[in-house]
């Protein structure tokens, strides 16, 4: 049971606390003993000290209700009394304490604080002229304030009308108790407040302060005056007094929470996190708000963390649960409750609250659950892990991940608990072996690649710590961190905490070899290493028999840790060998360390030297390099043995080949020398003696790890093709991007050509229209003014089944237009350049000497390509310009004539066309020119094509009686489909004829054509 401290029970309402706050607030008022000749000040004018009252106001009633009643002076104002020594005192305390004056509605109307006319100000302040001269008030010359009429039943209470507890006795039926609306401010208050406001605007802060204090003496229950005083002190830079003034005014604004929010915000902004006094001040402010409005969500949100910082954990949990009742299933509140209940050792309570919210979110549309995120899954499963309920944590993690990824109805995996193959990145090789699994039913992103990396590591840790301890599954999850990758985009630099978690879990369960694979890379990040890190790594080194490396870690601990903790002192006192004890021992220990590892020996051995201050001395470099090369050669040999089987779609061979290839590619990518920031820097031209000896050796030998660079490229391209055939376009493109960025390939034109051929091949395999266009543009750039480059762009778009969106999109159109301008620029004379072109041409191809290669002749394919792009964008009139340029070069080309014909006829269908008959006539002229040219050909499929296109054109124009004869000629000349690389249009013609006869209700002809040509 939780122990409740006295502070927890007080919760900031103790009387001493209120006295401290009051003494703090009195600092804004001047000492009356130092005020000379000012009739507005006397000791009675100062705000009295507050004491706790049932109604929540902190004003002292002791002066007005103790002792005998003072004798009234008929010559003075009703707001003045004469004491026993004859002095005049204004009863401010009574007015502040009187519920008739400090009320429910804490603000007067805006008209009460409007600036009065100048004459009104002079008239209302005529009685203040004597006080400004410095004379003290006397009985014969009192300062009288005009009395305001009180509503019936709202007079002050006398002693006889009070109950035993000192509270007003309810003597009349119907009298309201508690805070009431304040009275209207007097004219004197309005005038003083207006003058103070004008002085504040004019930056005369001394006068503004004096006038504001006088206004407060007249009507201390007016919050606006206190707020103005606070602004004055803020403008002066005296924030303590500004805060005190606002604190005083907040008590007069009983039901307005904004002043208390402002005060709390100012207190917290000026306080440190460990300043408990300031935290309790802010807590007092939020308590004041919640006394009036217990359901104020903002105040609860602010009070709960304050209570938690002050140690009131039970009360903080009550606040958060109250928030859950007001706003059910708020994930931010759930996260805070999970932290508090874990600190209170009550995780079951947090789990129950999370269960309710999860059931709610799963009952609504997945689009409405955006507030429940992966962070909540992480917190939820950690509550189970806190209680060492790892099996339940694994089950909940999988179930919630499946739901967030859109596979809640995938019941196949609900009962599958043998391993974690459901969350592998690829279907092959394990997921496809599960009975009932069908690849493609759900997107690939809804499996392992969709789960955050943090949860993969959590899943591995839970597997290690569960009762059955599935080490292989755990290491498979940890491998996603890629501990062997040291490139600039390595996950090491983004997730060092996950590396440490994985390493600690492996060390705690006794897998020291594997733990070192995740400890060692962390030396690259200085912020991730400390004495505990070296202590843990030393434990692993000592466990695997590397005494020298363990001793180096102990020495680093001793040098970094000045104040020795128990753990550090224990480690430093361990006897370790000297670093240079015996080099043979070091070599034998290293060989033992390397040969006893699991197949990821290569990844374990890859490490980079970091700062000497924080990194243990490096191992024998020559021996390490030799081991790396031998491991790489062995892996490459296994890939060559499995390549033929993988090409035959053997699932097991594909999986094994891709796993071995991935290790090799990761090793290649880990060397930053192949990926400099300037890709134009030729690696082959680097001098020996660079920063990385392994890169120097690769430059000298023309290979890496004993494998030629050409073999590395073949491996990557083969990997990309196999990944594309497995419909994993992300991995295929990723491998090709690595090859494209590598300097050894970038500087080789043949290698870059092969990379991009493989790239658009993979795009065609996965039917990726966008990537196909992007890669095809590379060929047009590298082989500028070469016809085959433009034809390749058209062919790639023809093969992709994705519509014309990427063929005629903005980037493609602009790129082809730049190519066209460059061609025109190079063909025109130098004298015409300034007249015809406003910008320089972009030549992208250069010869061996570095000079730009210019076009030697106009390219018909480029003209027609840009014309087709405009045509598909329905810019027919613009397309005609480029078709005519091509027509001028080749008037007997059938395709140019057909394109002109269709552009004219399509333009006639547009609403803006002025003379449709003329446009159709022009189109038919070019159409029949095309028809005659095609019929001169000896290829039957070309003649059939001409008949079909003429018939289709007539059909489009609605002239079906003219289209029917050409359709019938097309059917009569039916050939074997795709004969002579052409196409047979008989099926298309039959379908068109069928529609014509069906529209004319000639069902006999419809049945004949269907049975003869359309039935397979």
């Amino acid at each position: 049971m939780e122990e409740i401290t006295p502070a927890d029970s007080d919760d900031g309402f103790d009387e001493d606390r209120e006295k401290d706050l009051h003494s703090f607030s009195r600092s804004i008022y001047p000492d009356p003993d130092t005020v000379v000749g000012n009739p507005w000040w006397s000791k009675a004018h100062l705000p009295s000290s507050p004491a706790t009252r049932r109604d929540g106001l902190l004003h002292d009633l002791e002066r007005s209700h103790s002792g005998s009643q003072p004798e009234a002076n008929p010559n003075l104002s009703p707001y003045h009394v004469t004491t026993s020594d004859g002095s005049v005192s204004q009863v401010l305390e009574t007015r502040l304490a009187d519920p008739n004056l400090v009320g429910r509605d804490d603000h007067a109307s805006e008209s009460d604080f409007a600036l009065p006319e100048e004459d009104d100000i002079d008239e209302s302040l005529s009685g203040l002229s004597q006080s400004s001269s410095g004379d003290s008030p006397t009985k014969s010359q009192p300062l009288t304030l005009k009395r305001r009429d009180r509503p019936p039943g709202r007079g002050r209470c006398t002693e006889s009308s009070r109950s035993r507890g000192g509270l007003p006795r309810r003597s009349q039926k119907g009298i309201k108790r508690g805070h009431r609306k304040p009275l209207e401010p007097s004219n004197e208050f309005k005038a003083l407040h207006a003058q103070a406001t004008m002085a504040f605007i004019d930056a005369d802060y001394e006068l503004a302060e004096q006038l504001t204090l006088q206004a407060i003496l007249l009507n201390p229950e007016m919050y606006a005056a206190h707020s103005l005083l606070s602004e004055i002190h803020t403008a002066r830079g005296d924030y303590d007094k500004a805060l005190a003034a606002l604190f005083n005014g907040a008590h007069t604004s009983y039901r307005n929470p904004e002043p208390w929010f402002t005060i709390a915000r100012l207190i917290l902004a000026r306080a440190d996190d460990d300043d408990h006094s300031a935290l309790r001040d802010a807590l007092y402010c939020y308590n004041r708000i919640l006394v009036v409005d217990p359901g104020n969500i903002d105040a609860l949100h602010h009070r709960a963390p304050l209570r938690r910082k002050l140690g009131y954990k039970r009360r903080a949990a009550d606040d958060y649960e109250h928030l859950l009742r007001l706003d059910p299933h708020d994930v931010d509140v759930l996260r805070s409750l999970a932290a508090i209940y874990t600190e209170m050792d009550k995780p079951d309570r947090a789990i129950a609250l999370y269960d309710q919210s999860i059931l709610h979110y799963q009952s609504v549309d997945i689009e409405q659950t955006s507030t429940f995120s992966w962070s909540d899954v992480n917190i939820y499963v950690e509550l189970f892990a806190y209680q060492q309920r790892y099996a339940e944590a694994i089950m909940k993690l999988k179930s919630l991940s499946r739901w967030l990824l859109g596979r809640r109805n995938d019941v196949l995996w609900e009962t599958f608990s043998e391993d974690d193959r459901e969350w592998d990145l690829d279907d092959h090789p394990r997921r496809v072996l599960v009975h009932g699994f069908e690849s493609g039913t759900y997107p690939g992103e809804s499996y392992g690649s969709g789960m955050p990396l943090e949860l993969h590591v959590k899943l591995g840790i839970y597997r290690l710590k569960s009762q059955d301890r599935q080490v292989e599954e755990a290491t498979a999850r940890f491998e996603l961190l890629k501990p062997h990758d040291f490139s600039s985009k390595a996950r090491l630099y983004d997730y060092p905490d996950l590396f440490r978690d994985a390493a600690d879990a492996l060390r705690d369960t006794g897998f020291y070899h594997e733990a070192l694979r995740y400890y060692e890379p962390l030396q690259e990040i200085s912020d991730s290493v400390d004495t505990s890190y070296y202590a843990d790594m030393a434990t692993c080194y000592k466990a695997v028999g590397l005494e020298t490396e363990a001793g180096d870690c102990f020495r680093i601990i001793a040098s970094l840790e000045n104040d020795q903790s128990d753990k550090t002192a224990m480690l430093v006192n361990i006897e370790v060998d000297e670093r240079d004890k015996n080099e043979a021992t070091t070599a034998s220990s290293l060989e033992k360390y390397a040969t006893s590892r699991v197949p990821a020996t290569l990844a374990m051995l890859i490490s980079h030297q970091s700062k000497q201050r924080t990194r243990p001395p490096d191992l024998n470099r020559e021996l390490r390099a030799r081991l790396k090369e031998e491991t790489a050669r062995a892996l490459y040999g296994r890939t060559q043995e499995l390549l033929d089987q993988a090409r035959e779609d053997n699932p097991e061979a594909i999986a094994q080949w891709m796993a071995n290839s991935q290790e090799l590619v990761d090793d290649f990518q880990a060397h930053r020398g192949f990926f400099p920031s300037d890709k134009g820097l030729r690696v082959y031209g680097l001098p020996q003696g660079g920063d990385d000896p392994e890169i120097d050796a690769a430059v000298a030998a023309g290979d890496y790890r004993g494998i030629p660079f050409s073999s590395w490229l073949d491996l990557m391209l083969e990997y990309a093709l196999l990944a594309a055939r497995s419909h994993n376009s992300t991995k295929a493109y990723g491998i090709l991007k690595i090859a494209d960025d590598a300097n050894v390939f970038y500087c080789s034109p043949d290698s870059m050509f092969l990379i991009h051929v493989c790239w658009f091949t993979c795009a065609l395999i996965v039917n990726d229209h966008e990537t196909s266009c992007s890669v095809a543009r590379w060929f047009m750039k590298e082989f500028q003014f070469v016809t085959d480059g433009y034809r390749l762009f058209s062919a790639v778009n023809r093969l992709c089944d994705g519509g014309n969106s990427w063929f005629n999109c903005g980037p493609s159109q602009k790129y082809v237009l730049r190519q066209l301008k460059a061609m025109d620029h190079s063909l025109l004379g130098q004298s015409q350049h300034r007249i015809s072109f406003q910008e320089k041409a972009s030549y992208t191809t250069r010869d061996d000497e570095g000079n730009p290669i210019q076009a030697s002749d106009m390219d018909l394919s480029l003209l027609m390509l840009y014309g087709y792009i405009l045509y598909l964008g329905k810019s027919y009139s613009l397309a005609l310009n480029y078709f005519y340029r091509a027509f001028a070069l080749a008037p007997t080309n059938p395709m140019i004539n057909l394109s002109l014909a269709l552009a004219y006829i399509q333009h006639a269908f547009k609403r803006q066309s002025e003379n449709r008959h003329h446009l159709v006539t022009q189109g038919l002229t070019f159409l029949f020119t095309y028809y005659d040219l095609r019929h001169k050909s000896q290829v039957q499929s070309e003649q059939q094509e001409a008949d079909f296109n003429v018939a289709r054109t007539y059909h489009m124009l609605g002239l079906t009686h003219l289209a029917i004869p050409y359709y019938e000629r097309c059917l009569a000349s039916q050939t074997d489909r795709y004969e002579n690389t052409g196409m047979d249009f008989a099926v298309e013609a039959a379908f068109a004829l069928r529609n014509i006869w069906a529209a004319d209700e000639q069902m006999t002809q419809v049945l004949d054509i269907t049975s003869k040509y359309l039935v397979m």
Side-chain angles (χ1 to χ4, degrees):
M1 181 176 295
E2 181 190 5
E3 182 180 357
I4 302 176
T5 62
D8 202 346
S9 60
D10 292 340
D11 204 12
F13 273 122
D14 54 288
E15 184 176 354
D16 294 337
R17 192 74 192 149
E18 295 181 358
K19 290 181 179 178
D20 293 339
L21 292 173
H22 178 69
S23 62
F24 171 66
S25 67
R26 288 174 65 91
S27 62
I28 65 168
Y29 297 101
D31 187 353
D33 295 333
T34 63
V35 180
V36 179
N38 193 337
W40 293 96
W41 290 103
S42 68
K43 291 185 178 181
H45 295 161
L46 293 174
S48 56
S49 60
T52 304
R53 287 189 52 202
R54 191 181 308 171
D55 58 4
L57 288 176
L58 303 178
H59 300 288
D60 188 14
L61 301 179
E62 182 178 337
R63 183 189 301 272
S64 59
H65 298 300
S66 63
S68 59
Q69 293 295 323
E71 180 181 356
N73 189 338
N75 297 324
L76 297 179
S77 165
Y79 294 117
H80 292 77
V81 296
T82 304
T83 58
S84 58
D85 59 355
S87 63
V88 180
S89 176
Q90 185 180 8
V91 189
L92 295 179
E93 291 84 355
T94 306
R95 298 192 63 202
L96 278 172
D98 193 344
N100 298 323
L101 302 179
V102 182
R104 204 171 33 225
D105 186 6
D106 304 307
H107 297 281
S109 62
E110 294 181 1
S111 61
D112 294 334
F113 296 97
L115 294 176
E117 298 295 335
E118 188 173 353
D119 296 337
D120 296 338
I121 296 177
D122 294 339
E123 180 180 356
S124 60
L125 297 179
S126 60
L128 303 180
S129 58
Q130 294 181 357
S131 65
S132 62
S133 63
D135 297 334
S136 301
T138 61
K139 291 184 180 181
S140 61
Q141 200 176 28
L143 176 63
T144 59
L145 300 180
K146 187 176 181 180
R147 179 169 183 173
R148 292 165 288 171
D149 295 333
R150 294 180 179 275
R154 295 185 65 174
R156 290 177 296 176
C157 300
T158 62
E159 289 295 328
S160 60
S161 63
R162 294 189 173 274
S163 62
R164 291 180 61 186
L167 296 175
R169 181 181 291 118
R170 186 170 184 177
S171 59
Q172 298 183 16
K173 191 173 184 180
I175 295 179
K176 287 188 175 181
R177 300 177 63 182
H179 298 278
R180 303 180 184 181
K181 186 176 181 179
L183 297 178
E184 293 293 326
S186 64
N187 290 333
E188 290 86 351
F189 175 85
K190 294 179 182 180
L192 289 169
H193 187 270
Q195 279 198 336
T197 303
M198 294 302 297
F200 175 71
I201 294 173
D202 295 337
D204 190 351
Y205 301 128
E206 184 176 355
L207 177 60
E209 180 185 9
Q210 182 180 2
L211 293 172
T212 304
L213 289 172
Q214 293 174 7
I216 290 175
L217 288 176
L218 285 173
N219 288 90
E221 73 275 11
M222 289 299 167
Y223 170 72
H226 296 276
S227 178
L228 178 59
L229 182 60
S230 176
E231 293 291 336
I232 294 169
H233 288 306
T234 301
R236 285 176 164 178
D238 195 343
Y239 300 106
D240 289 336
K241 288 188 176 181
L243 186 58
L246 197 61
F247 181 82
N248 275 336
H251 287 87
T252 69
S253 183
Y254 182 69
R255 292 192 176 274
N256 183 15
E258 292 305 322
W260 294 112
F261 277 120
T262 304
I263 295 169
R265 185 177 67 252
L266 293 175
I267 291 174
L268 294 176
R270 303 180 61 212
D272 298 329
D273 290 338
D274 56 350
D275 188 352
H276 280 207
S277 177
L279 295 179
R280 288 175 63 81
D281 290 342
L283 180 62
Y284 172 83
C285 297
Y286 294 124
N287 285 335
R288 299 288 305 185
I289 298 171
L290 292 168
V291 165
V292 179
D293 183 12
N296 192 304
I297 294 179
D298 290 338
L300 287 169
H301 270 295
H302 287 88
R303 186 174 73 172
L306 288 179
R307 281 179 160 178
R308 183 183 175 191
K309 288 181 181 179
L310 290 169
Y312 312 142
K313 296 178 182 178
R314 179 180 59 79
R315 288 177 174 263
D318 292 341
D319 279 348
Y320 281 124
E321 294 214 20
H322 189 187
L323 283 169
L324 273 186
R325 290 191 292 271
L326 296 173
D327 185 12
H329 317 299
D330 187 336
V331 293
D332 293 328
V333 177
L334 286 172
R335 294 168 187 171
S336 301
L337 278 172
I340 291 177
Y341 280 129
T342 302
E343 294 172 1
M344 297 170 62
D345 199 19
K346 295 180 180 179
D348 287 333
R349 177 58 182 161
I351 291 174
L353 294 173
Y354 258 110
D355 286 338
Q356 296 173 9
S357 296
I358 290 172
L359 288 176
H360 163 73
Y361 284 121
Q362 290 181 340
S363 64
V364 299
D365 190 1
I366 188 65
E367 296 180 355
Q368 302 178 15
T369 62
S370 57
T371 55
F372 191 92
S373 63
W374 291 107
S375 298
D376 300 288
V377 177
N378 191 8
I379 295 171
Y380 180 62
V381 298
E382 275 296 295
L383 293 172
F384 290 95
Y386 177 80
Q387 298 177 308
Q388 299 184 356
R389 297 157 59 182
Y390 298 111
E392 294 180 65
I394 293 172
M395 181 187 67
K396 295 293 185 181
L397 190 154
K398 291 183 176 181
S399 176
L400 292 177
S401 300
R402 203 176 297 124
W403 163 55
L404 287 179
L405 291 172
R407 291 192 298 113
R408 186 184 179 188
N409 298 326
D410 191 3
V411 296
L412 170 66
W413 303 102
E414 292 290 344
T415 57
F416 187 87
S417 58
E418 297 177 8
D419 51 42
D420 301 324
R421 68 181 65 188
E422 176 189 2
W423 302 105
D424 290 349
L425 298 184
D426 302 316
D427 293 340
H428 296 279
R430 298 200 303 170
R431 203 153 52 221
V432 295
L433 301 179
V434 178
H435 179 70
F437 173 76
E438 295 182 4
S439 181
T441 304
Y442 293 95
E445 295 78 10
S446 63
Y447 291 95
S449 59
M451 179 188 287
L453 191 58
E454 291 88 343
L455 294 184
H456 278 287
V457 175
K458 290 281 186 189
L459 187 57
I461 294 174
Y462 297 159
R463 285 295 183 187
L464 273 180
K465 296 184 178 181
S466 59
Q467 292 182 352
D468 50 358
R469 186 173 290 184
Q470 298 184 13
V471 183
E472 294 182 358
E473 290 298 322
T475 54
R477 299 300 110 197
F478 297 155
E479 281 298 319
L480 297 177
L481 293 172
K482 297 182 180 180
H484 43 268
D485 184 7
F486 290 91
S487 65
S488 59
K489 299 180 180 179
R491 292 178 173 175
L492 168 65
Y493 305 107
D494 295 329
Y495 305 101
D497 55 327
L498 299 184
F499 274 76
R500 185 66 183 271
D501 292 342
D504 289 344
L506 290 167
R507 176 185 54 80
D508 292 341
T509 50
F511 298 97
Y512 302 106
H513 285 299
E514 289 72 20
L516 284 171
R517 293 186 61 218
Y518 299 93
Y519 275 131
E520 289 174 345
L522 287 173
Q523 297 173 84
E524 296 287 337
I525 304 176
S526 58
D527 294 339
S528 300
V529 296
D530 52 14
T531 54
S532 64
Y533 164 78
Y534 284 113
D536 294 336
M537 194 160 63
T539 302
C540 295
Y541 276 132
K542 193 169 182 64
V544 299
L546 294 178
E547 301 288 345
T548 303
E549 287 71 25
D552 292 331
C553 291
F554 295 148
R555 293 186 185 92
I556 293 175
I557 294 171
S559 63
L560 294 180
E561 189 71 73
N562 295 326
D563 49 341
Q564 300 290 339
S565 62
D566 294 339
K567 183 177 182 181
T568 306
M570 177 190 69
L571 291 172
V572 173
N573 290 331
I574 297 178
E575 293 185 2
V576 294
D577 296 333
E578 294 295 333
R579 184 167 63 185
D580 54 350
K581 179 179 179 181
N582 191 345
E583 233 176 43
T585 305
T586 304
S588 62
S589 298
L590 175 62
E591 291 180 355
K592 177 182 178 182
Y593 180 36
T595 56
S596 62
R597 300 293 297 276
V598 293
T601 305
L602 175 64
M604 179 275 297
L605 290 171
I606 299 175
S607 60
H608 291 269
Q609 188 166 357
S610 183
K611 298 179 181 178
Q612 295 296 330
R613 180 179 62 83
T614 59
R615 182 179 177 86
D618 200 1
L619 302 178
N620 187 287
R621 175 171 290 181
E622 182 179 353
L623 180 59
R624 292 176 62 223
R626 179 171 59 82
L627 289 174
K628 291 177 184 178
E629 183 172 329
E630 290 178 357
T631 305
R633 285 182 177 180
L635 287 173
Y636 182 74
R638 287 200 292 270
T639 58
Q640 295 302 107
E641 294 174 359
L642 295 170
L643 183 58
D644 292 336
Q645 299 181 36
R647 288 175 175 174
E648 295 174 359
D649 293 335
N650 186 329
E652 295 182 359
I654 290 175
Q656 187 62 36
W657 188 92
M658 294 184 75
N660 294 335
S661 299
Q662 184 66 56
E663 287 195 40
L664 289 170
V665 172
D666 290 339
D667 177 29
F668 185 89
Q669 187 184 11
H671 286 276
R672 301 179 185 178
F674 293 147
F675 303 92
S677 57
D678 182 10
K679 292 199 298 184
L681 183 65
R682 288 182 175 271
V683 172
Y684 289 107
L686 286 176
Q688 297 296 311
D691 294 336
D692 194 337
E694 295 183 39
I695 300 299
D696 294 339
V699 171
D703 58 24
Y704 175 64
R705 304 283 192 223
I707 303 171
F709 287 122
S710 59
S711 298
W712 281 102
L713 180 60
D714 291 340
L715 177 74
M716 294 181 184
L717 299 184
E718 193 74 43
Y719 192 171
L721 289 171
L722 283 176
R725 289 167 57 188
S726 301
H727 302 285
N728 192 341
S729 59
T730 303
K731 179 173 288 187
Y733 296 158
I735 295 295
L736 291 170
K737 187 67 169 62
I738 294 173
D740 183 56
D741 290 341
N743 232 350
V744 290
F745 304 136
Y746 181 83
C747 299
S748 172
D750 293 338
S751 298
M752 294 300 292
F753 182 84
L754 291 175
I755 290 170
H756 285 84
V757 168
C758 181
W759 209 321
F760 79 71
T761 303
C762 293
L764 292 175
I765 292 174
V766 298
N767 195 31
D768 187 350
H769 197 181
E770 180 183 4
T771 303
S772 300
C773 288
S774 178
V775 177
R777 287 200 296 269
W778 180 89
F779 286 95
M780 290 194 291
K781 177 176 71 71
E782 294 296 322
F783 301 94
Q784 194 176 25
F785 309 130
V786 176
T787 301
D788 287 342
Y790 307 127
R791 296 176 64 191
L792 178 64
F793 181 80
S794 300
V796 166
N797 282 276
R798 176 69 178 83
L799 293 173
C800 283
D801 186 16
N804 300 317
S805 58
W806 293 105
F807 175 72
N808 64 331
C809 65
S812 296
Q813 179 180 351
K814 293 176 182 177
Y815 184 82
V816 176
L817 179 60
R818 287 197 298 270
Q819 295 282 312
L820 191 56
K821 287 182 178 180
M823 183 179 65
D824 291 340
H825 186 277
S826 61
L827 293 177
L828 288 176
Q830 189 69 27
S831 60
Q832 296 292 325
H833 286 172
R834 293 183 179 179
I835 301 174
S836 304
F837 296 93
Q838 298 180 356
E839 57 185 9
K840 294 182 179 180
S842 56
Y843 299 115
T844 57
T845 307
R846 299 183 179 273
D847 56 18
D848 295 337
E849 297 179 357
N851 299 319
I853 299 176
Q854 300 185 9
S856 58
D857 196 3
M858 187 68 67
D859 196 310
L860 281 177
S861 297
L862 180 58
L863 290 170
M864 294 300 293
L865 174 61
Y866 191 65
Y868 289 142
I869 291 175
L870 294 174
Y871 179 90
L872 289 174
K874 298 183 179 181
S875 300
Y876 305 115
S877 59
L878 297 177
L880 283 170
N881 295 328
Y882 296 94
F883 290 155
Y884 266 118
R885 290 182 62 181
F887 180 77
L889 297 173
T892 59
N893 188 302
M895 285 305 303
I896 297 176
N897 283 272
L898 178 61
S899 300
L900 282 166
L902 293 177
Y904 269 117
I905 293 173
Q906 290 288 355
H907 187 45
F909 285 114
K910 297 189 72 174
R911 181 175 56 84
Q912 298 90 345
S913 300
E914 295 181 357
N915 194 336
R916 292 196 177 107
H917 178 76
H918 174 72
L919 294 174
V920 172
T921 304
Q922 287 283 90
L924 291 177
T925 300
F926 285 105
L927 179 66
F928 281 102
T929 302
Y930 153 77
Y931 183 81
D932 295 337
L933 291 171
R934 277 302 192 197
H935 270 270
K936 291 178 182 179
S937 173
Q938 301 300 319
V939 180
Q940 185 178 359
S941 60
E942 293 182 357
Q943 297 177 6
Q944 187 190 37
E945 171 202 313
D947 291 327
F948 178 80
N949 284 332
V950 172
R952 188 70 187 85
T953 304
Y954 278 135
H955 197 171
M956 179 175 60
L957 291 170
L959 304 174
T960 56
H961 65 289
L962 297 177
I964 291 174
Y966 288 97
Y967 279 137
E968 291 176 345
R969 290 179 192 176
C970 186
L971 292 177
S973 60
Q974 181 180 11
T975 61
D976 293 336
R977 203 162 180 82
Y978 308 108
E979 179 187 3
N980 297 328
T981 68
M983 292 186 64
D984 182 21
F985 294 91
V987 175
E988 287 80 0
F991 184 76
L993 269 177
R994 175 186 175 279
N995 291 338
I996 293 174
W997 295 127
D1000 198 30
E1001 298 183 357
Q1002 301 294 329
M1003 304 310 297
T1004 304
Q1005 288 87 338
V1006 171
L1007 292 175
D1008 291 342
I1009 292 176
T1010 302
S1011 60
K1012 186 175 182 180
Y1013 297 101
L1014 302 178
V1015 176
M1016 298 183 66

